[in-house]
Amino acid sequence: MNFSSRLLENAVNEFSKLPGVGQKTALRLVLHLLNQSSQEVENLSDALTRLKREIRYCKVCGNISDSEVCGVCSANKRDKSLVCIVEDTRDIMAIENTNQYNGVYHVLGGLISPMDGIGPSDLNIERLVERVKTGEIEEVILALSATMEGDTTIFYIFKKLKDLPVKISTIARGIAFGGEIEYADEITLARSIATRVPYGVES
Amino acid sequence: MNFSSRLLENAVNEFSKLPGVGQKTALRLVLHLLNQSSQEVENLSDALTRLKREIRYCKVCGNISDSEVCGVCSANKRDKSLVCIVEDTRDIMAIENTNQYNGVYHVLGGLISPMDGIGPSDLNIERLVERVKTGEIEEVILALSATMEGDTTIFYIFKKLKDLPVKISTIARGIAFGGEIEYADEITLARSIATRVPYGVES
C-alpha cells in the first residue's frame, strides 16, 4: 500500500500483526481511531499497556487474574476436590457461563503441538501434577478440544496422572443438543452410537 | 461475559469499540497480545498514541501527512491544474495504486449525510472553493462513491463551483472491466447503455 504518512503506515502495520487482521482491515480500524477523540485512543492504548504490565496469573490454577489467587480458587463454595483441565481462559468463561460447574480449574495455557513447537514443558502441566500429589483432588476432568493437539495433550496428562490416586475423566463427546443427525460428521456419529448410554441416565 | 480480571475486561471492552470487532473477536485479539512480548504490545500502543498525537493534515489538500504539505501536493511533476475530489485517504491510496493519475487531490473527510448528522460545514469544502478561486485549477474530478451520500455531496459541490471558471467532471460509471453483464445490477446496466461511448474512444 501507498501510505501518505509514516505514522499511519506504522499504526497499520502494528494492527495487521493481530490474528485475522489484514492490511485493509487494519487501515479501516486506524482511520476509525483517527476520527475518535484523543481520550478514546489513549484509553485503548493504556488498556493494552496496563494489561501486559499488570496482568497476573493465579498461582493455584494459572488463570488470568488481578490478584495472587483468582476468584474461583479463592471462593469458599467451590468444590476444590474437582478440577477441570482447560486450554485457556476462554474455556473457563464458556464453562462458567453454563452455571452448572461447581469445581475449580487448571489452565494449561495451550495444547501440545509439535508443529508449532509447543511441547509439554511449555504448558502448565508440572504444576497440575503437584496439585494432584497433594491428595486434595479426587477427580480431574479433561475438557480439551477434540483435535489432534487436544487428544495428544489428554494422552500425555493421562500418562502423568494414571499412577496417582485420582479419578480421570473427559467431557462427553456426541451429537450436540439440538443437533440434527443427518448433518453430524461421521466420526462423531459413529462414536456416539458406540458410546451410547441407557435412556434416562444422562439427565 | 464472565471475566476473571478487570484488566482483561477493560482491554476487551476498549477493543470491542472498534468497528466490526465484537466481544469474542476482541477477547481473541487481547489473548493473542497477552502471549506476545511486552515490546510488541508497547509498539502497538505507542503507534496508536503517536498517530493520534502527531498526525497532521496537508494544508493544501487535507490528506493525512507527516509534513505541512503532503508528498503529492509538493511533488513537482504532479499536474496542479487537475484536482481529484475524494472522500478520504483510502480513495487516494486506491487511485495512486493505479499509477494512472498525475493530478493532485482534495480530501473532503467524509460525505454529506444528514442521517449521521454530517453537513457541508463538517467537510473540507470551503477550502476547495478557495483553491478553485485562485484560478490555478482547470478541472476538478468528482471521484465520490455512487451512493445517496456521494450523489448529494457531488450535487452540493457542483452548485458551489458551477459559476467559477473550472471544468467539473465525475468518474465514469458502468460495467467493470471483467464484469459479466448478466450479474450487473439494473441501474448500472441501464445507465451504461444510456451513456454508451463510440467504439475505440475509451482506450
Side-chain angles (χ1 to χ4, degrees), chain B residues 106-150:
Chain B
H106 190 87
V107 180
L108 296 178
L111 296 174
I112 296 173
S113 170
M115 293 279 280
D116 301 317
I118 303 172
S121 59
D122 298 315
L123 305 178
N124 192 18
I125 294 178
E126 273 314 306
R127 175 87 193 97
L128 172 67
V129 177
E130 282 169 34
R131 280 181 85 180
V132 173
K133 277 183 180 161
T134 62
E136 284 160 20
I137 296 171
E138 287 169 20
E139 179 176 358
V140 296
I141 305 171
L142 289 151
L144 303 180
S145 300
T147 58
M148 177 104 98
E149 289 79 13

Side-chain angles (χ1 to χ4, degrees), chain A residues 48-55, chain B residues 33-34 36-38 41:
Chain A
L48 294 182
T49 11
R50 283 196 55 203
L51 175 80
K52 188 64 190 176
R53 254 189 227 144
E54 299 171 25
I55 203 90
Chain B
L33 283 173
L34 258 184
Q36 305 304 303
S37 68
S38 297
V41 179

